[in-house]
Amino acid sequence: MAVRFKWLAHGEGLPMPVRQSRAAAGHDLAAALGEDEVMTLAPGERALVPCGFALALPEGYEAQVRPRSGLAARFGVTVLNAPGTVDADYRGEVKVILVNHGAEPFAIRRGDRIAQMVFAAVPDLALESVQELEETDRGANGFGSTGMAG
Ligand SMILES: O=c1ccn([C@H]2C[C@H](O)[C@@H](COP(=O)(O)OP(=O)(O)OP(=O)(O)O)O2)c(=O)[nH]1
Ligand SMILES: [Mg+2]
């Protein structure tokens, strides 16, 4: 199934988001900054990084904006709201909320691949209000109730 994709003016000239290997789950997202622009995230700082395109996803799908593990492992840079949610009815620019949890400033330039986008199906479930819920073995136990030791 196709996802309709439209470059915005400042995105023109960038490569399309691409899967870096044949069966990769994510399309890498490049920063659509100006040609000579450098966006620097100080330690602890966050920024909205423009991707330079808009989408029209088929209804019943979302695009998730996820971190790249290399940036997280090497620099402590990740997507603050991971996984970001791009709704099927959103027609604005896709952006990445990047945060620097590392100890060093992190510089971003035009075309740098700073995150990845994974398409996912969203089941069309509706909430139904009831008085009682079916019982289960777990019941209300959660939040570590099964312990940690192996
Ligand atoms: O990482 C993200 C997250 C969101 N969006 C865009 C697409 C999404 O459809 C819209 C709204 O996102 P979300 O629902 O997460 O934010 P909100 O704070 O609930 O805003 P709204 O009230 O507009 O829904 O913002 C992005 O481009 N990147
Ligand atoms: Mg919302």
Side-chain angles (χ1 to χ4, degrees):
M1 205 185 308
V3 177
R4 290 168 64 77
F5 174 101
K6 182 179 179 236
W7 283 119
L8 304 175
H10 58 286
E12 296 277 4
L14 286 171
M16 290 273 288
V18 70
R19 295 183 158 114
Q20 295 288 320
S21 65
R22 197 183 55 81
H27 290 72
D28 279 356
L29 294 173
L33 301 177
E35 288 293 348
D36 301 316
E37 187 178 355
V38 182
M39 184 184 265
T40 302
L41 294 183
E45 199 179 358
R46 65 178 181 270
L48 260 180
V49 183
C51 294
F53 66 83
L55 298 176
L57 290 156
E59 234 176 83
Y61 290 84
E62 63 164 331
Q64 300 180 347
V65 179
R66 300 201 201 166
R68 293 189 66 203
S69 64
L71 296 183
R74 289 167 64 199
F75 306 111
V77 168
T78 187
V79 174
L80 185 58
N81 58 326
T85 305
V86 178
D87 300 290
D89 55 359
Y90 178 68
R91 296 292 176 271
E93 181 175 14
V94 173
K95 297 183 184 181
V96 177
I97 308 173
L98 215 58
V99 63
N100 181 3
H101 288 313
E104 304 294 333
F106 183 77
I108 308 161
R109 294 176 181 79
R110 183 176 179 83
D112 287 350
R113 289 179 283 116
I114 38 95
Q116 58 187 319
M117 174 172 70
V118 175
F119 300 124
V122 180
D124 183 16
L125 300 179
L127 291 174
E128 179 194 358
S129 184
V130 296
Q131 293 302 319
E132 297 297 335
L133 301 173
E134 300 78 5
E135 288 186 7
T136 67
D137 290 341
R138 175 184 282 275
N141 295 325
F143 311 101
S145 66
T146 64
M148 260 187 81

